[in-house]
Amino acid sequence: MSFLKQTLTAALFVVATFTSFYTSAVSDATTQADTQQSATRPNMETLKARYFDAAREGDSAMLSAFYQAGLDVNVADEKGYTALILAAYHGHTDTVNFLISEANANPCQEDNRGNTALMGAIFKGHVSVAKQLVFADCDIDEENEQGQTALMFASLFDRQEIIDTLIDKGANPAHMDKAGNSVADIALSQGNYELAKVLREQNAN
């Protein structure tokens, strides 16, 4: 082999070896950078967890940031709780107002058991939140999986202010759940005889 040919062969070997190592190094560096970026970049589940925490805490500014970033305002967690359901359950009047009025959250959306934001607010006794939700564009006699309505929740927990508002809005005092209980029956089960009497009178009318 001539000296020129030997020199050219050696040069090509060096170039090939350098290219191989360079490509490998670039690939390793890129993989490492991607891994580091993935480690520092929150995934969707983490973002959702922060979103739901903001709803529980009544952090309207944080919820607004998520909304502006394009997160579906009606996204639900593993129990079917939306931001609106959580905010209502925890009594955050301003946050409920923001979610409905500005973020266009669905006030009729149910959790995995068929309960609504209104039912959650009544259960916890958050009167101002419940009154907001009563006037949302939903079926006032929307039922959960047990066939219970918001009026039944109000009767069970003796939320008289909400009962009056619900009935004024058209809630049916004669409604019966899947177990055959009426709204008045539920009041009686709690020893609330006066409320049961009022409900039966309204039913008769």
Side-chain angles (χ1 to χ4, degrees), residues 97-145:
N97 183 61
F98 161 75
L99 287 167
I100 294 175
S101 302
E102 298 184 41
N104 299 312
N106 179 7
C108 314
Q109 190 165 333
E110 301 175 349
D111 66 19
N112 293 349
R113 295 185 177 182
N115 296 314
T116 63
L118 174 58
M119 292 173 183
I122 293 171
F123 172 74
K124 293 292 287 184
H126 300 307
V127 175
S128 61
V129 173
K131 286 188 174 181
Q132 278 182 286
L133 292 164
V134 164
F135 292 97
D137 189 19
C138 300
D139 179 1
I140 199 65
D141 286 321
E142 189 171 356
E143 302 176 22
N144 64 13
E145 64 181 16

Side-chain angles (χ1 to χ4, degrees), residues 118-197:
L118 174 58
M119 292 173 183
I122 293 171
F123 172 74
K124 293 292 287 184
H126 300 307
V127 175
S128 61
V129 173
K131 286 188 174 181
Q132 278 182 286
L133 292 164
V134 164
F135 292 97
D137 189 19
C138 300
D139 179 1
I140 199 65
D141 286 321
E142 189 171 356
E143 302 176 22
N144 64 13
E145 64 181 16
Q146 302 299 321
Q148 299 161 338
T149 64
L151 183 58
M152 287 183 155
F153 273 70
S155 177
L156 179 63
F157 298 106
D158 194 20
R159 314 295 190 204
Q160 189 63 57
E161 289 181 81
I162 304 300
I163 289 171
D164 294 340
T165 304
L166 285 165
I167 291 176
D168 288 345
K169 188 68 166 52
N172 180 13
H175 178 83
M176 301 183 76
D177 65 19
K178 291 182 179 179
N181 299 307
S182 69
V183 181
D185 290 336
I186 290 174
L188 281 174
S189 73
Q190 301 303 304
N192 196 334
Y193 303 107
E194 185 61 32
L195 176 58
K197 179 182 177 182

Side-chain angles (χ1 to χ4, degrees), residues 42 45-55 57 62-63 66:
E45 292 308 311
T46 301
L47 289 173
K48 285 181 182 178
R50 292 178 182 174
Y51 177 69
F52 295 131
D53 283 343
E57 295 162 6
M62 179 65 74
L63 292 174
F66 276 107

